[in-house]
Amino acid sequence: MVIEKQDVVIVGAGAAGLMLAARLAEGGQSVTVLEAGPERKLNDLVSSQIWARKLKWSEPAVSESGDHKIGHAFNAGSGTGGSALHHYGVWLRMHEGDFSLNSNHGVGLDWPLDYAALAPHYDRVQSEVGLSGDSVQERWRPQGAPYPMPPLPLFTQSRLLAKGFEKTGRHTAPLPLAINSEPYQGRQSCQYDGWCDAGCPIGALGNPLVVWLPRALAAGAKLEHNARASRVIRSAKNTQLIESVEYLQDGERKTIQADRIIIAAFAVQSVRILLSSATQQHAAPGDHSDKLGRYLMTHPAATIFGLFAEETYPHQGVTAGQLLNHDDYDKKDAPGGFGSSQWMIGHAIKPHDLLGYGTNRPDITGAALEPWLKRASRHLGNMTLVCEDIALPDNRITLSEKVGPEGIAYAHAHHDLDATAAARWTQRMSEGADIMRAAGASEVWSGPRIGQHIMGGAVMGEDPAESVTDAFGRVHDTDNLYVAGPALFPSSGAVNPTFTISALASRQADHLLNQ
Amino acid sequence: MPASLNRRQLLSRSTAAGFFMVAGQWLWLTPQEAQARAFEPQILSPDQCNALSSLGDAFVPGAAAGGIAAYIDLQLQAGDDSLLIGKYLGVDTSAQTGFYRAAADNVIALTDESTSLQTFIADMAADSLSNWAGPPASYVLFVLRADALDVVYGTPEGFDTLGIPYMAHIKPEKPW
């Protein structure tokens, strides 16, 4: 069946793609979303860390290089909801200083917009999704509407760790979360079981299946699953116009035409699709100045663990954690390194899987293991450091030499961590160990430094010579091709990106509807 | 797996249990049951299964009886849909079969009945095994130990052993 020409085709059914589908369809546009992965429903979200791996991007695998890899297999999702289906719901606003890194500090890139331009969209989206938090205690928060729900209750582990921050002269506040602390818009409240990574089937966590998908479908948007976009195709008559998306579905190569095309396929696949769209006659859309794929970013992050005499019940709560510390966030130039940093405190944690406490003590094996696990299951505390990455041009997404059986090129991601950002990470990790000991931990250790969240690759900017898209995500050398999602970010800040992804998409939606 | 089932049908039923070849018949079993019934591996050789089982059990007691070899062999059959933790740790699904075969072959080549597995593990952790081939031994240790943790403690029963309430919204199919 050939789908008739649409007003809008969106590639990717994640946080940005499904929000845009909902808003544009509600605005009277005909919308089709192409999603590479399978249809996901709430009853697919089985409470198991092993089953949870089904939700992640698998093939075509992204090859990686560099001294601080992006961790695509853990960070990227597949299927309805994308990576937002298994995200942990930490919804933090970027701070004002995150938007002008180059102007203020001479490093990285500036955004072509400031916090004030996004603020009304942060406010609108937090009401639509439902955020819990305390905007008064969160003293570092930029100006904005109060959270619609009170914060989640504080569990034993977090109360204990908060003492470490207090004793070292630091402040904590409830972590703002897209998780219901009370029933909200027909969705029930959280049950604090820590299965967030496996996806929340009860609607307490505001994933795209429960927030945007129902609205998109009610407004007439269509979703095509197992529809893997291979490239976009320029009009032969007007090369500024992108007339269609080519995709593979059911073993067939198909195309769908639209007046406007939005690539919202998460950072790596969005760039892959654009790079694959180059022809002998024309460079890839957005690659007019060799910036497509560049400025790839991932937050350097790590978890610190401690064992306490007190019982902490670390299975309770939510995977994201319960408390936040941003005391150092706006001190990007502080001695010892460069960049913002944050602590997320008190994760609900499992004994196994990538983030599990058993996994992060490979030195303990054999007969000693189970007694240790039993002790950790009742006496563990943990918190995660997230530091800022700096956009560097040689950190980039390229097409790999490897081509899949369907003719789709694989992507390669190269990422090295800037030395000053690495120094900041080392500095804060040392401080974190001190905080953990101040809280009373008798034994303190940390997991490895990992890449958390993926951003950049199709950065927005005022100057087409230095960016891929304009301030509304329109690819510079086209009239009607847009990028949405974290690929647009010219800087990473040190906050989880989903709130900013959503606010940007909200702003894009308004722009597209007003054109 | 049975020729009458395609991979999507196989995986739609369960990622915990699966079809295992036992005495020439395909049977729907858990990895633990498959191990107990001397399943016939489809990707790994019996010797490779034994090696991974022994090493996994040395990392995490209970992994052998829990069916770690059967679990790995089953997931390797799934190809792109493998749920082994290796894909988070840099072992893409396309590379997993080679990874586990190489790991097992190293154990077969470098151990015998007199080998202390705890000493062997210490040498793996230190990357001090001079004839170890392929990915670093310490890396293999991390990955295989994580698999063993999955098998033994990544289940409601494993949680129960540790005194943790499982609190499932949707319970995984037994017997995890």
Side-chain angles (χ1 to χ4, degrees), chain B residues 21 30 49-50 74 88-89 96 101 103 119 145 158 171 176:
Chain B
M21 175 68 76
T30 71
C49 283
N50 289 338
L74 181 68
Y88 289 167
L89 302 173
Q96 287 179 358
R101 284 178 174 163
T119 302
R145 182 179 172 279
K171 286 182 76 172
W176 284 128

Side-chain angles (χ1 to χ4, degrees), chain A residues 10-169:
Chain A
I10 301 171
V11 177
L18 283 182
M19 174 206 273
L20 284 159
R23 290 274 192 88
L24 296 177
E26 288 169 347
Q29 306 267 304
S30 59
V31 179
T32 292
V33 181
L34 302 178
E35 167 53 44
E39 183 178 13
R40 306 277 187 207
K41 298 190 174 180
L42 291 179
N43 60 9
D44 293 330
L45 305 178
V46 173
S47 302
S48 159
Q49 294 301 128
I50 299 171
W51 284 70
R53 297 165 198 164
K54 278 187 170 187
L55 306 178
K56 307 295 179 82
W57 184 271
S58 181
E59 288 291 325
V62 175
S63 57
E64 300 184 24
S65 60
D67 64 20
H68 181 64
K69 298 183 175 69
I70 64 171
H72 190 268
F74 183 74
N75 284 302
S78 175
T80 336
S83 58
L85 190 59
H86 57 78
H87 89 300
Y88 302 163
V90 180
W91 280 49
L92 284 154
R93 302 176 183 224
M94 290 187 100
H95 290 204
E96 293 176 11
D98 291 332
F99 293 87
S100 51
L101 217 62
N102 193 271
S103 296
N104 292 344
H105 305 284
V107 300
L109 301 172
D110 288 345
W111 290 59
L113 50 103
D114 56 14
Y115 176 78
L118 270 191
H121 296 281
Y122 280 127
D123 288 348
R124 178 178 175 180
V125 169
Q126 74 171 25
S127 175
E128 291 179 292
V129 172
L131 299 197
S132 60
D134 187 322
S135 56
V136 174
Q137 281 197 61
E138 196 185 325
R139 59 177 64 168
W140 325 274
R141 182 180 186 256
Q143 287 295 315
Y147 296 114
M149 285 182 280
L152 303 191
L154 210 56
F155 290 96
T156 307
Q157 183 200 171
S158 298
R159 289 198 296 270
L160 185 65
L161 293 175
K163 291 179 187 173
F165 282 83
E166 187 183 332
K167 286 181 181 176
T168 55

Side-chain angles (χ1 to χ4, degrees), chain B residues 39 41-51 69 73 101 104-105 108:
Chain B
F39 77 103
Q42 302 301 301
I43 303 292
L44 302 169
S45 71
D47 284 347
Q48 289 169 336
C49 283
N50 289 338
D73 195 70
R101 284 178 174 163
D105 289 346
I108 292 167

Side-chain angles (χ1 to χ4, degrees), chain A residues 47 53 58 193 352 370, chain B residues 80 83 145 150 153 166 169:
Chain A
S47 302
R53 297 165 198 164
S58 181
D193 48 57
H352 72 120
E370 188 162 290
Chain B
D80 293 350
L83 296 182
R145 182 179 172 279
D150 279 347
Y153 296 110
Y166 197 80
H169 295 293

Side-chain angles (χ1 to χ4, degrees), chain B residues 121-176:
Chain B
I121 289 169
D123 290 339
M124 286 182 73
D127 285 313
S128 60
L129 292 162
S130 53
N131 293 322
W132 182 277
S138 57
Y139 178 53
V140 171
L141 184 159
F142 193 90
V143 175
L144 189 60
R145 182 179 172 279
D147 291 322
L149 283 170
D150 279 347
V151 168
V152 180
Y153 296 110
T155 70
E157 291 74 23
F159 276 49
D160 194 51
T161 300
L162 298 179
I164 310 168
Y166 197 80
M167 298 192 293
H169 295 293
I170 299 175
K171 286 182 76 172
E173 286 186 30
K174 279 182 176 280
W176 284 128

Side-chain angles (χ1 to χ4, degrees), chain A residues 442-453:
Chain A
S442 56
E443 190 178 338
V444 177
W445 70 98
S446 62
R449 190 183 73 195
I450 59 171
Q452 199 174 87
H453 316 121

Side-chain angles (χ1 to χ4, degrees), chain A residues 35 92 99 112-113 235 305 379-380 390 403 420 442 447 479 487:
Chain A
E35 167 53 44
L92 284 154
F99 293 87
L113 50 103
S235 164
F305 305 87
H379 295 273
L380 187 91
I390 299 172
V403 177
T420 60
S442 56
D479 292 336

